[in-house]
Amino acid sequence: MKTKQNEIREREILTELRNFHQKDITFSGGKILSSMCTKPLKIAEEARKIFKETNLGDKRISEGAIEIEKECIRWVGDLLNLNPAYGFITSGGTESNILAIMEARARKRNNMKESGEKEEITEEIIVPETGHFSFDKISFLMGIKVRKAGINDDFTVNLNSVKNLINKNTIAVVGIAGNTEYGAIDDIEGLAEICKGKNLYLHVDAAFGGFIIPFLKRQNYDVRNFDFGIEGVDSITIDPHKMGMNIIPSGMLLFRKEPKFSVNVSYLQGKHERLLGTFPAGSAAGCYACLKFLGEYGYTEIVRECMENTKYLADGLRRNNIEILNPVLNILNFNIRKEIYNKLVETGWIISKTSAGYTRIVIMPHTKKAHIKKFLKDIKQLTKNE
Ligand code: 0PR
């Protein structure tokens, strides 16, 4: 009801919310140097508004939104060498990884049923030590044992370690294309070779790298293959709300074959295959807008700038005699003393530390050269007496 009193109340509530928002750190301020999210494209925000009340989880009323989702899956399928492609838009990497392991379980159980195998197994998955913490959640949630495979000096998974962990309980092997701490790309071809002939589900977590690696290849960077072009890859997680420039929340999960997992819901006229019941179609609309607006050319340019800025930061740090790890993607690790790290945090820089003690920076599209210059200046100041 539009009364004077209501109008005043509305204004008050919105002011309260703006005050809360003031406390948040925004991407445009340039201080956020260690987040995998970024300022989304304006058109993605507009796209969300059009679909603000549509639930992608209810097929009876979201025909248009479902078409959008299919088109996004087709587009990203093409990008990842898969045609036809199956899959979903999800809330992000965590949900996609959960759904992938649920699918591995569904297939394993189906196979066992079909072959009349009765022996119960205690399901296990093999995940590189560098895997995202979503796999620990999966372990807790699904009651699955996560076996952590060792890593090589370059932070990629050690294939021998994976081989040694495989046993009759293994239902899936996970490889990562752009791991969270280092941006390293696992040898997915090697993993596929290991899984071959063993009926093992191979999932690739490219939540971060999925919207980077294909565009680096277009610029002739020597980066590893990770996609469905590798026979044996069953599913890939790729996140539009990271380097895909979309609004939060939006992830994607693509399958080579039509997924088997679903539950029957008679009152919703059929099967429900997603993890979440109600899901914002605005995320799918935003994704569509980004893919169409940027296209391969636009993404290539964004990735080019992020890599140039990563190199710019790396060169600047080297000039200050700081040891850095050679970056594969737009994630840079380097070595500074704890005191300096703490000072940088005190100054307001949002940076992080890896499990091995490196300072980790993610150069996302919101990070501009001017921000990096300022960061380097602060480091120079802090290290001048070293
Ligand atoms: N897989 C990989 C390789 C990831 O790096 C991440 C998240 C996920 C899966 C899970 O994705 P969702 O967070 O979408 O479920 N990586 C970032 C991280 O944990 C997520 C992030 C993003 C954290 C922005 C902070 C932040 O400000 O660091």
Side-chain angles (χ1 to χ4, degrees):
M1 220 193 351
K2 204 88 181 153
T3 62
K4 188 89 195 137
Q5 231 176 0
N6 275 350
E7 264 177 43
I8 293 170
R9 191 72 197 117
E10 267 178 24
R11 245 180 286 138
E12 278 171 1
I13 294 170
L14 291 175
T15 305
E16 279 170 31
L17 287 169
R18 280 189 199 102
N19 289 341
F20 280 120
H21 190 238
Q22 291 268 310
K23 296 187 181 174
D24 295 343
I25 301 170
T26 57
F27 290 115
S28 26
K31 288 279 186 177
I32 305 180
L33 291 183
S34 182
S35 164
M36 285 185 165
C37 290
T38 194
K39 199 172 169 50
L41 292 189
K42 193 113 199 92
I43 191 173
E45 290 168 29
E46 292 300 319
R48 165 169 33 206
K49 283 190 204 153
I50 304 174
F51 285 84
K52 61 180 176 294
E53 59 180 35
T54 312
N55 171 14
L56 199 54
D58 188 345
K59 289 179 199 161
R60 301 169 308 166
I61 56 174
S62 56
E63 192 185 324
I66 285 170
E67 258 177 53
I68 290 176
E69 182 183 43
K70 282 208 178 102
E71 180 56 17
C72 292
I73 296 290
R74 192 200 57 73
W75 198 98
V76 175
D78 272 349
L79 182 73
L80 302 179
N81 271 309
L82 183 67
N83 186 1
Y86 304 91
F88 306 106
I89 289 190
T90 67
S91 59
T94 301
E95 186 189 343
S96 297
N97 286 342
I98 295 173
L99 261 171
I101 302 306
M102 282 167 62
E103 180 61 19
R105 166 181 276 176
R107 289 192 198 179
K108 179 77 177 180
R109 291 185 180 177
N110 246 32
N111 288 345
M112 286 174 72
K113 209 160 135 194
E114 276 168 14
S115 63
E117 211 173 305
K118 292 255 152 43
E119 193 197 351
E120 291 243 328
I121 60 163
T122 39
E123 295 163 331
E124 294 181 3
I125 58 174
I126 300 173
V127 178
E129 249 175 47
T130 45
H132 186 256
F133 59 80
S134 49
F135 290 100
D136 297 322
K137 295 181 181 174
I138 288 172
S139 168
F140 191 77
L141 189 71
M142 295 178 67
I144 282 181
K145 185 165 187 169
V146 175
R147 295 226 171 220
K148 301 265 167 103
I151 51 170
N152 302 314
D153 289 344
D154 63 356
F155 301 99
T156 61
V157 72
N158 182 289
L159 296 183
N160 277 328
S161 173
V162 173
K163 260 188 223 159
N164 291 335
L165 290 172
I166 293 176
N167 63 45
K168 69 172 179 36
N169 294 325
T170 314
I171 65 163
V173 171
V174 175
I176 315 162
N179 59 36
T180 312
E181 289 194 327
Y182 304 97
I185 307 168
D186 288 335
D187 180 357
I188 308 296
E189 280 163 351
L191 289 176
E193 200 53 46
I194 292 174
C195 294
K196 205 171 164 179
K198 295 192 184 72
N199 219 351
L200 276 176
Y201 188 98
L202 177 57
H203 174 63
V204 177
D205 181 356
F208 185 65
F211 274 105
I212 306 171
I213 303 163
F215 306 113
L216 287 179
K217 282 193 182 287
R218 277 168 186 71
Q219 295 170 63
N220 297 321
Y221 274 79
D222 184 18
V223 277
R224 272 182 163 148
N225 294 333
F226 73 104
D227 65 20
F228 291 101
I230 302 171
E231 212 185 309
V233 170
D234 289 296
S235 53
I236 299 183
T237 288
I238 170 169
D239 275 1
H241 71 195
K242 295 190 168 72
M243 285 294 287
M245 306 302 292
N246 196 14
I247 45 159
I248 297 172
S250 73
M252 277 177 130
L253 176 63
L254 273 79
F255 297 105
R256 184 187 295 277
K257 290 192 218 144
E258 207 171 341
K260 291 229 179 306
F261 171 77
S262 69
V263 290
N264 283 320
V265 192
S266 47
Y267 74 90
L268 286 180
Q269 292 165 0
K271 294 192 284 187
H272 207 280
E273 302 97 342
R274 326 180 78 88
L275 179 60
L276 305 184
T278 306
F279 186 74
S283 295
C287 184
Y288 183 94
C290 291
L291 300 178
K292 290 273 158 160
F293 183 78
L294 290 172
E296 296 203 1
Y297 175 79
Y299 280 114
T300 306
E301 290 313 300
I302 287 173
V303 167
R304 187 195 306 279
E305 192 186 340
C306 288
M307 290 307 284
E308 273 171 17
N309 285 341
T310 307
K311 278 196 207 115
Y312 182 76
L313 173 61
D315 291 344
L317 291 169
R318 270 197 214 101
R319 272 199 303 275
N320 278 302
N321 295 322
I322 292 170
E323 181 214 347
I324 65 156
L325 298 182
N326 271 337
V328 182
L329 305 180
N330 42 336
I331 298 181
L332 190 70
N333 286 264
F334 54 93
N335 227 338
I336 45 173
R337 282 193 303 110
K338 202 169 85 197
E339 292 73 17
I340 296 185
Y341 179 91
N342 291 342
K343 281 265 166 54
L344 287 167
V345 172
E346 268 169 39
T347 325
W349 293 105
I350 305 295
I351 53 181
S352 57
K353 224 177 196 58
T354 70
S355 40
Y358 289 102
T359 299
R360 163 190 176 264
I361 300 276
V362 188
I363 298 290
M364 294 297 287
H366 61 265
T367 303
K368 304 297 172 198
K369 243 189 197 120
H371 305 134
I372 301 174
K373 267 189 192 156
K374 175 87 184 53
F375 181 69
L376 284 169
K377 206 171 143 200
D378 282 2
I379 290 212
K380 193 170 181 180
Q381 182 69 22
L382 291 167
T383 53
K384 68 172 186 262
N385 298 325
E386 299 264 302

